[in-house]
Amino acid sequence: MLRLGKREFGPHEPVIMAIVNRTPDSFYDQGATFRDEPALARVEQAVAEGAAIVDIGGVKAGPGEEVSAEEEARRTVGFVAEVRRRFPDVIISVDTWRAEVGEAVCEAGADLLNDAWGGVDPGLAQVAARYGVGLVCTHAGGAQPRTRPHRVTYDDVMADILNVTLGLAERAVSLGVPRESVLIDPGHDFGKNTRHSLEATRRLDEMVATGWPVLVSLSNKDFVGESLDRPVKERLIGTLATTAVSAWLGAQVYRVHEVAQTRQVLDMVTAIAGHRTPTVARRGLA
């Protein structure tokens, strides 16, 4: 059972986490939701299309202009409070690696801290424990925040992913984070080249077999683009194919830009797997 905010999800219930970037330079939307009203409209649309979680980020993942903790908090804390007010039932996640930002957004009403940089600030897990919120434990290959991988090598990439994420998850629980609110994430593209990310996808069932709920952040990433030689705006089909494979292998939470399309893919995969009945069933029965 996965428990986040006010919600509980069964083991075969896929969950969509919609991306809401509060940055002027995000790689995908180039700042489309930097201002409050477009960002709030994005939340409303995502929830209507089937997202249970919104993931709010105040710093672009890749290299760029330096963003201080104070500026990151300015971009996210007030917005979290407003989303909490307008959408009391939505699960609010904040994508941050900084404990001080985590503290501020938890005070404002966040339910989940999405630590995409693999515990680089060990205090973030302590914040999650103190507030009783969830935590995403990600493999980033030891990379520092906002850096790109360069000639990264692994003897066995999935073995490294498991070693890091399980260690982070167990540490979080030992600190007091609720076990049912901890997720592990292979960290596609973070500290990895395209072949590493493809192998992580191919072997995702090894993460699922640990019993921890698995989150995947696949949406329009470079490993999709390089696999198909497609620019950012032409990666949806590749993303959805990777989503289907990940769903079949047992991932549970999907961090995405395109909610409606992802919802259909996940509904179809769970129907094929026998975990969901068809929405209608008339064929051959009339």
Side-chain angles (χ1 to χ4, degrees):
M1 181 67 68
L2 172 63
R3 183 176 293 115
L4 298 171
K6 301 176 181 178
R7 301 281 301 276
E8 291 185 350
F9 304 93
H12 299 299
E13 185 176 359
V15 182
I16 294 177
M17 169 190 274
I19 299 166
V20 183
N21 289 315
R22 302 309 317 282
T23 62
D25 54 355
S26 52
F27 91 99
Y28 184 69
D29 60 27
Q30 289 83 51
T33 53
F34 184 46
R35 294 185 298 108
D36 286 352
E37 286 310 314
L40 288 166
R42 162 70 175 160
V43 172
E44 184 174 16
Q45 178 186 14
V47 170
E49 292 178 344
I53 309 170
V54 293
D55 189 47
I56 299 163
V59 185
K60 175 184 177 181
E65 183 178 342
E66 182 179 355
V67 180
S68 67
E70 292 76 16
E71 174 60 17
E72 182 184 359
R74 190 191 68 79
R75 295 176 179 183
T76 56
V77 174
F79 185 72
V80 166
E82 184 62 15
V83 172
R84 180 83 292 150
R85 186 184 72 81
R86 295 197 192 191
F87 305 91
D89 296 324
V90 75
I91 299 162
I92 300 175
S93 169
V94 175
D95 180 353
T96 185
W97 74 86
R98 291 166 164 148
E100 58 204 288
V101 176
E103 181 105 29
V105 296
C106 285
E107 283 285 346
D111 304 299
L112 176 64
L113 296 175
N114 181 11
D115 182 9
W117 290 103
V120 69
D121 183 346
L124 190 64
Q126 295 172 327
V127 171
R130 191 157 57 249
Y131 285 88
V133 303
L135 182 70
V136 180
C137 299
T138 307
H139 179 272
Q144 290 299 302
R146 308 194 67 194
T147 61
R148 298 195 189 281
H150 179 68
R151 300 189 184 279
V152 179
T153 61
Y154 298 95
D155 291 334
D156 182 328
V157 67
M158 182 50 74
D160 204 81
I161 289 169
L162 290 172
N163 180 58
V164 169
T165 58
L166 297 185
L168 290 170
E170 291 293 352
R171 175 180 181 269
V173 172
S174 74
L175 290 170
V177 180
R179 179 173 286 271
E180 64 273 16
S181 302
V182 175
L183 304 99
I184 58 175
D185 177 354
H188 288 82
D189 278 359
F190 280 52
K192 299 171 189 68
N193 62 32
T194 288
R195 289 182 176 86
H196 294 143
S197 292
L198 291 172
E199 182 172 351
T201 306
R202 191 160 55 244
R203 298 173 60 185
L204 205 60
D205 56 340
E206 296 177 42
M207 296 189 74
V208 174
T210 67
W212 296 98
V214 175
L215 180 150
V216 287
S217 183
L218 312 167
S219 193
N220 302 293
K221 283 195 167 178
D222 285 347
F223 82 97
V224 175
E226 288 194 354
S227 294
L228 302 176
D229 192 17
R230 289 290 183 269
V232 170
K233 293 296 185 179
E234 296 178 18
R235 297 176 184 175
L236 175 58
I237 294 173
T239 296
L240 295 178
T242 313
T243 298
V245 170
S246 300
W248 188 257
L249 293 175
Q252 185 162 19
V253 180
Y254 300 80
R255 182 178 181 273
V256 305
H257 296 97
E258 292 94 357
V259 174
Q261 296 91 327
T262 303
R263 181 79 270 163
Q264 287 191 48
V265 169
L266 295 176
D267 285 350
M268 191 67 209
V269 172
T270 51
I272 293 168
H275 303 313
R276 173 184 173 275
T277 58
T279 303
V280 296
R282 293 187 292 263
R283 182 173 174 79
L285 301 176

mmCIF file of all heavy atoms in Angstrom, residues 160-180:
data_model
loop_
_atom_site.group_PDB
_atom_site.id
_atom_site.type_symbol
_atom_site.label_atom_id
_atom_site.label_comp_id
_atom_site.label_asym_id
_atom_site.label_seq_id
_atom_site.Cartn_x
_atom_site.Cartn_y
_atom_site.Cartn_z
ATOM 1 N N ASP A 160 23.887 -0.863 -9.016
ATOM 2 C CA ASP A 160 24.184 0.416 -8.376
ATOM 3 C C ASP A 160 22.902 1.145 -8.009
ATOM 4 O O ASP A 160 22.793 1.728 -6.917
ATOM 5 C CB ASP A 160 25.032 1.281 -9.311
ATOM 6 C CG ASP A 160 25.841 2.324 -8.553
ATOM 7 O OD1 ASP A 160 26.903 1.973 -8.016
ATOM 8 O OD2 ASP A 160 25.385 3.485 -8.490
ATOM 9 N N ILE A 161 21.927 1.115 -8.903
ATOM 10 C CA ILE A 161 20.635 1.753 -8.626
ATOM 11 C C ILE A 161 20.008 1.151 -7.381
ATOM 12 O O ILE A 161 19.527 1.870 -6.485
ATOM 13 C CB ILE A 161 19.691 1.611 -9.841
ATOM 14 C CG1 ILE A 161 20.157 2.503 -10.986
ATOM 15 C CG2 ILE A 161 18.249 1.934 -9.455
ATOM 16 C CD1 ILE A 161 19.442 2.240 -12.308
ATOM 17 N N LEU A 162 20.003 -0.160 -7.294
ATOM 18 C CA LEU A 162 19.396 -0.828 -6.142
ATOM 19 C C LEU A 162 20.156 -0.514 -4.857
ATOM 20 O O LEU A 162 19.556 -0.229 -3.820
ATOM 21 C CB LEU A 162 19.340 -2.334 -6.375
ATOM 22 C CG LEU A 162 18.344 -2.796 -7.438
ATOM 23 C CD1 LEU A 162 18.532 -4.280 -7.721
ATOM 24 C CD2 LEU A 162 16.911 -2.513 -7.006
ATOM 25 N N ASN A 163 21.449 -0.560 -4.916
ATOM 26 C CA ASN A 163 22.261 -0.298 -3.727
ATOM 27 C C ASN A 163 21.985 1.101 -3.174
ATOM 28 O O ASN A 163 21.785 1.289 -1.965
ATOM 29 C CB ASN A 163 23.741 -0.444 -4.073
ATOM 30 C CG ASN A 163 24.639 -0.195 -2.874
ATOM 31 O OD1 ASN A 163 24.531 -0.858 -1.848
ATOM 32 N ND2 ASN A 163 25.532 0.779 -3.003
ATOM 33 N N VAL A 164 21.934 2.095 -4.072
ATOM 34 C CA VAL A 164 21.744 3.478 -3.637
ATOM 35 C C VAL A 164 20.309 3.724 -3.169
ATOM 36 O O VAL A 164 20.083 4.253 -2.071
ATOM 37 C CB VAL A 164 22.117 4.456 -4.768
ATOM 38 C CG1 VAL A 164 21.683 5.879 -4.427
ATOM 39 C CG2 VAL A 164 23.610 4.403 -5.035
ATOM 40 N N THR A 165 19.344 3.353 -3.975
ATOM 41 C CA THR A 165 17.956 3.699 -3.639
ATOM 42 C C THR A 165 17.464 2.927 -2.422
ATOM 43 O O THR A 165 16.748 3.496 -1.572
ATOM 44 C CB THR A 165 17.005 3.464 -4.822
ATOM 45 O OG1 THR A 165 17.068 2.099 -5.244
ATOM 46 C CG2 THR A 165 17.344 4.376 -5.988
ATOM 47 N N LEU A 166 17.840 1.672 -2.293
ATOM 48 C CA LEU A 166 17.410 0.917 -1.115
ATOM 49 C C LEU A 166 18.081 1.457 0.146
ATOM 50 O O LEU A 166 17.457 1.519 1.216
ATOM 51 C CB LEU A 166 17.722 -0.567 -1.287
ATOM 52 C CG LEU A 166 17.006 -1.276 -2.449
ATOM 53 C CD1 LEU A 166 17.306 -2.759 -2.432
ATOM 54 C CD2 LEU A 166 15.504 -1.036 -2.409
ATOM 55 N N GLY A 167 19.335 1.858 0.019
ATOM 56 C CA GLY A 167 20.005 2.470 1.161
ATOM 57 C C GLY A 167 19.338 3.756 1.589
ATOM 58 O O GLY A 167 19.135 4.007 2.790
ATOM 59 N N LEU A 168 18.984 4.602 0.621
ATOM 60 C CA LEU A 168 18.300 5.852 0.934
ATOM 61 C C LEU A 168 16.925 5.600 1.543
ATOM 62 O O LEU A 168 16.507 6.286 2.492
ATOM 63 C CB LEU A 168 18.161 6.702 -0.330
ATOM 64 C CG LEU A 168 19.445 7.306 -0.903
ATOM 65 C CD1 LEU A 168 19.175 7.905 -2.287
ATOM 66 C CD2 LEU A 168 20.026 8.364 0.025
ATOM 67 N N ALA A 169 16.207 4.608 1.003
ATOM 68 C CA ALA A 169 14.867 4.299 1.506
ATOM 69 C C ALA A 169 14.923 3.792 2.941
ATOM 70 O O ALA A 169 14.145 4.226 3.806
ATOM 71 C CB ALA A 169 14.190 3.280 0.600
ATOM 72 N N GLU A 170 15.841 2.877 3.221
ATOM 73 C CA GLU A 170 15.944 2.333 4.580
ATOM 74 C C GLU A 170 16.390 3.411 5.569
ATOM 75 O O GLU A 170 15.928 3.455 6.712
ATOM 76 C CB GLU A 170 16.902 1.149 4.600
ATOM 77 C CG GLU A 170 16.375 -0.081 3.863
ATOM 78 C CD GLU A 170 15.159 -0.723 4.536
ATOM 79 O OE1 GLU A 170 14.787 -0.316 5.659
ATOM 80 O OE2 GLU A 170 14.575 -1.630 3.923
ATOM 81 N N ARG A 171 17.290 4.294 5.125
ATOM 82 C CA ARG A 171 17.701 5.393 5.996
ATOM 83 C C ARG A 171 16.511 6.290 6.319
ATOM 84 O O ARG A 171 16.324 6.709 7.475
ATOM 85 C CB ARG A 171 18.807 6.216 5.340
ATOM 86 C CG ARG A 171 19.206 7.457 6.143
ATOM 87 C CD ARG A 171 20.317 8.265 5.480
ATOM 88 N NE ARG A 171 20.656 9.418 6.304
ATOM 89 C CZ ARG A 171 20.089 10.617 6.170
ATOM 90 N NH1 ARG A 171 19.156 10.829 5.230
ATOM 91 N NH2 ARG A 171 20.452 11.616 6.958
ATOM 92 N N ALA A 172 15.705 6.592 5.290
ATOM 93 C CA ALA A 172 14.544 7.456 5.508
ATOM 94 C C ALA A 172 13.601 6.851 6.544
ATOM 95 O O ALA A 172 13.122 7.540 7.451
ATOM 96 C CB ALA A 172 13.817 7.692 4.186
ATOM 97 N N VAL A 173 13.347 5.553 6.419
ATOM 98 C CA VAL A 173 12.453 4.897 7.368
ATOM 99 C C VAL A 173 13.059 4.896 8.770
ATOM 100 O O VAL A 173 12.365 5.111 9.767
ATOM 101 C CB VAL A 173 12.138 3.456 6.895
ATOM 102 C CG1 VAL A 173 11.378 2.687 7.966
ATOM 103 C CG2 VAL A 173 11.316 3.501 5.607
ATOM 104 N N SER A 174 14.369 4.685 8.860
ATOM 105 C CA SER A 174 15.029 4.684 10.170
ATOM 106 C C SER A 174 14.939 6.055 10.843
ATOM 107 O O SER A 174 14.943 6.158 12.073
ATOM 108 C CB SER A 174 16.493 4.264 10.031
ATOM 109 O OG SER A 174 17.284 5.301 9.456
ATOM 110 N N LEU A 175 14.835 7.107 10.030
ATOM 111 C CA LEU A 175 14.710 8.457 10.575
ATOM 112 C C LEU A 175 13.280 8.781 10.994
ATOM 113 O O LEU A 175 13.047 9.755 11.720
ATOM 114 C CB LEU A 175 15.170 9.483 9.531
ATOM 115 C CG LEU A 175 16.665 9.511 9.220
ATOM 116 C CD1 LEU A 175 16.937 10.397 8.005
ATOM 117 C CD2 LEU A 175 17.458 10.001 10.423
ATOM 118 N N GLY A 176 12.319 7.987 10.489
ATOM 119 C CA GLY A 176 10.935 8.211 10.857
ATOM 120 C C GLY A 176 9.994 8.516 9.710
ATOM 121 O O GLY A 176 8.806 8.762 9.938
ATOM 122 N N VAL A 177 10.481 8.503 8.465
ATOM 123 C CA VAL A 177 9.576 8.672 7.330
ATOM 124 C C VAL A 177 8.682 7.437 7.255
ATOM 125 O O VAL A 177 9.189 6.310 7.341
ATOM 126 C CB VAL A 177 10.360 8.842 6.012
ATOM 127 C CG1 VAL A 177 9.399 9.027 4.838
ATOM 128 C CG2 VAL A 177 11.311 10.027 6.102
ATOM 129 N N PRO A 178 7.373 7.594 7.112
ATOM 130 C CA PRO A 178 6.492 6.427 7.042
ATOM 131 C C PRO A 178 6.899 5.495 5.895
ATOM 132 O O PRO A 178 7.056 5.939 4.759
ATOM 133 C CB PRO A 178 5.107 7.038 6.798
ATOM 134 C CG PRO A 178 5.216 8.441 7.306
ATOM 135 C CD PRO A 178 6.623 8.867 7.047
ATOM 136 N N ARG A 179 7.088 4.210 6.189
ATOM 137 C CA ARG A 179 7.528 3.257 5.176
ATOM 138 C C ARG A 179 6.598 3.247 3.966
ATOM 139 O O ARG A 179 7.045 3.132 2.827
ATOM 140 C CB ARG A 179 7.625 1.855 5.776
ATOM 141 C CG ARG A 179 8.064 0.779 4.786
ATOM 142 C CD ARG A 179 8.302 -0.543 5.471
ATOM 143 N NE ARG A 179 9.537 -0.545 6.246
ATOM 144 C CZ ARG A 179 10.723 -0.885 5.755
ATOM 145 N NH1 ARG A 179 10.846 -1.239 4.472
ATOM 146 N NH2 ARG A 179 11.786 -0.865 6.517
ATOM 147 N N GLU A 180 5.300 3.373 4.218
ATOM 148 C CA GLU A 180 4.327 3.306 3.127
ATOM 149 C C GLU A 180 4.321 4.571 2.273
ATOM 150 O O GLU A 180 3.583 4.652 1.285
ATOM 151 C CB GLU A 180 2.925 3.049 3.687
ATOM 152 C CG GLU A 180 2.380 4.146 4.578
ATOM 153 C CD GLU A 180 2.780 4.010 6.040
ATOM 154 O OE1 GLU A 180 3.727 3.255 6.343
ATOM 155 O OE2 GLU A 180 2.130 4.671 6.889
#
